[in-house]
Amino acid sequence: MSAASCLRSEDQFLCSICLDVFTDPVTTSCGHNFCKNCITKHWNSNDQYLCPMCKKVFNTRPELHVNTFISEMVSQFRQEAQQKASSSSEQQAAKPGEVPCDVCTGTKLKALKSCLVCLTSYCETHLEPHLTMSGLKRHQLMDPVENLEDRMCMKHDKPLELFCKTDQTCVCMLCSVLDHKTHEFVPLKEEYEGKKAELGKTEAEIQQMIQKRQLKIQEIKHSVDLNKEDADREKAEGVQVFTALKESVERSLNELIETIEEKQRTTEKQAEDFIKELEQEISELKKRSSEVEQLSRSEDYLQLLQNFQPLKEALPTNDWTEVSVHPSYKGTVVRAVAQLEEMFSEEMKKLVEAELKRVQQYAVDVTLDPDTANPALILSDDGKQVNCSNVKKNLPDNPERFSPLPCVLGKQNFSSGKFYFEVQVKGKTKWLLGVVRESINRKGKITLSPQDGYWTICLKSRNAYLACHDTSVELSLKSEPQRVGVFVDYEEGLVSFYDVDAAALIYSFTGYYFTEKLYPFFCPFFNDGGKNSTPLIICPVNQTE
């Protein structure tokens, strides 16, 4: 008999109790066939000796006889099935990580399906009965999985068929009436469908998260590209500026050397002329000396008297006492360096003007937050001006409010990108400006330092400007700022202050790593008897031409 014909008639080898191929088939007196173990267990667990197929009741336990014909057919069927499995290609053998067939006795082939009723995984050949036999078709098949015994209740040795919604666990039928009888149950399939729907939503959320992160990657890559463009532009501008400065320095050096050498040549020429003239006078004096010596030896009265006066008058009359050749080079280098410094200042001003124009493009509209203002502060209705009075208002001491330092924050906060705002400080004798992180201490004694979340500069007293660190840095400014620009680059960790009118950089905090929201910070200081009553004014930004 061929394997094909065997498989076509295999439903006659199916035990109606276990729904599997007969093992030790026996026949009852009513003519029906069962596995010997199956019918024995069936009768042992029931009060009556009943045929599971025709329901015939036997008064006494029937004597079971082995069905030799069925046994031979089953043996041949198993042999043919095994031969078919053995003839399969070795490439179908289960690989590491794949579920093997539980029925294969030789080479374990890759399982195609697992049966939740039989708790067995089947390859293509051994799965055939479940696809063709009417009894086995009712079994629940699924994609192959390992450890099918885990799908049995460990306590009752029954299939896990229900889901306990109360305990959020899978249970068997006996669990539902014994251990979980007051709980809410649903079939596994129903809970599966619900959880599958949730997984669908979760998958959608995951996909959305993936898309957001992919967009963030694109954003970061775009930022990197922009950063490269900025870096290339800055390098080009730097090369251009420093090349010009280098050429100016070299030109100034050449001019300095030429000036000194020209002065040296002039001095040497002057010295040569002096020496030549002196040598001529020496020659003349030697001649006169000879004449004087000769005349002094003369005993001719008349000759000596006649030649004495002309000889004396012929002597050189130049006074060389004050003549010198000591040229002064002092101040030459200083003057040259001063010219360079002036040129550098002009170039620096141009650079700062360009930088100021660039950062002003990031201007934001800042208004004062009254919930953070010290009770002594007076805020304008538009939230753009603040000064300090001598009287404190009765305000709730909420955690956001500064006390006792007369400070106030802007309503706006920033956690990325760049921003810029300007504040008029004209007419004030003391002021404090900058940005702060959200978690700063606002009560009691406050340390104004970046480590404590403050990036600020201040006018402490007339012409005493400071950058606030643990140890404050004194600032040397050429002019008193009337309007101060504050620029922040969050990602770069940069806070810069500008004298807007003078187009000068006052100070920069660099190399910081911001992790919190940053708020604009203002402190007009106390009134000081009216001497410091002028308000700080947040000004609209007028970009320089």
Side-chain angles (χ1 to χ4, degrees), residues 266-316:
T266 301
T267 301
E268 289 176 353
K269 179 66 170 60
Q270 187 181 34
E272 289 176 0
D273 292 343
F274 285 158
I275 292 171
K276 184 177 181 180
E277 188 174 352
L278 285 168
E279 287 176 344
Q280 289 177 351
E281 290 187 358
I282 290 171
S283 177
E284 184 67 25
L285 286 171
K286 285 181 178 180
K287 181 179 178 182
R288 293 292 181 268
S289 175
S290 177
E291 292 176 353
V292 168
E293 183 182 359
Q294 184 179 356
L295 184 60
S296 64
R297 289 198 299 267
S298 175
E299 296 180 357
D300 186 340
Y301 304 137
L302 179 61
Q303 183 184 12
L304 188 146
L305 292 174
Q306 289 177 338
N307 292 310
F308 176 81
Q309 190 62 30
L311 184 63
K312 186 176 180 180
E313 291 176 354
L315 294 175

Side-chain angles (χ1 to χ4, degrees), residues 165-182:
K165 297 180 73 68
T166 305
D167 291 343
Q168 291 292 299
T169 185
C170 298
V171 297
C172 70
M173 286 293 185
L174 287 178
C175 289
S176 66
V177 296
L178 297 177
D179 303 324
H180 301 256
K181 59 184 177 180
T182 62

Side-chain angles (χ1 to χ4, degrees), residues 64-87:
L64 299 175
H65 300 281
V66 174
N67 190 323
T68 306
F69 175 75
I70 295 295
S71 295
E72 291 177 353
M73 294 297 292
V74 168
S75 176
Q76 186 176 358
F77 167 74
R78 291 185 184 277
Q79 184 178 2
E80 294 289 346
Q82 185 62 41
Q83 289 175 354
K84 181 178 179 182
S86 300
S87 64

Side-chain angles (χ1 to χ4, degrees), residues 164-228:
C164 177
K165 297 180 73 68
T166 305
D167 291 343
Q168 291 292 299
T169 185
C170 298
V171 297
C172 70
M173 286 293 185
L174 287 178
C175 289
S176 66
V177 296
L178 297 177
D179 303 324
H180 301 256
K181 59 184 177 180
T182 62
H183 294 180
E184 180 184 357
F185 300 94
V186 293
L188 286 183
K189 185 176 182 181
E190 181 178 334
E191 185 66 20
Y192 162 82
E193 295 295 339
K195 288 293 190 290
K196 191 171 184 180
E198 288 184 23
L199 287 176
K201 293 180 180 178
T202 302
E203 175 63 16
E205 292 175 359
I206 292 174
Q207 290 301 322
Q208 188 176 10
M209 293 171 68
I210 291 173
Q211 290 177 2
K212 286 183 178 179
R213 281 153 179 76
Q214 288 175 337
L215 289 174
K216 179 56 69 173
I217 290 174
Q218 294 177 2
E219 179 184 332
I220 292 173
K221 287 182 177 180
H222 182 61
S223 297
V224 170
D225 292 338
L226 292 179
N227 179 69
K228 184 178 184 304

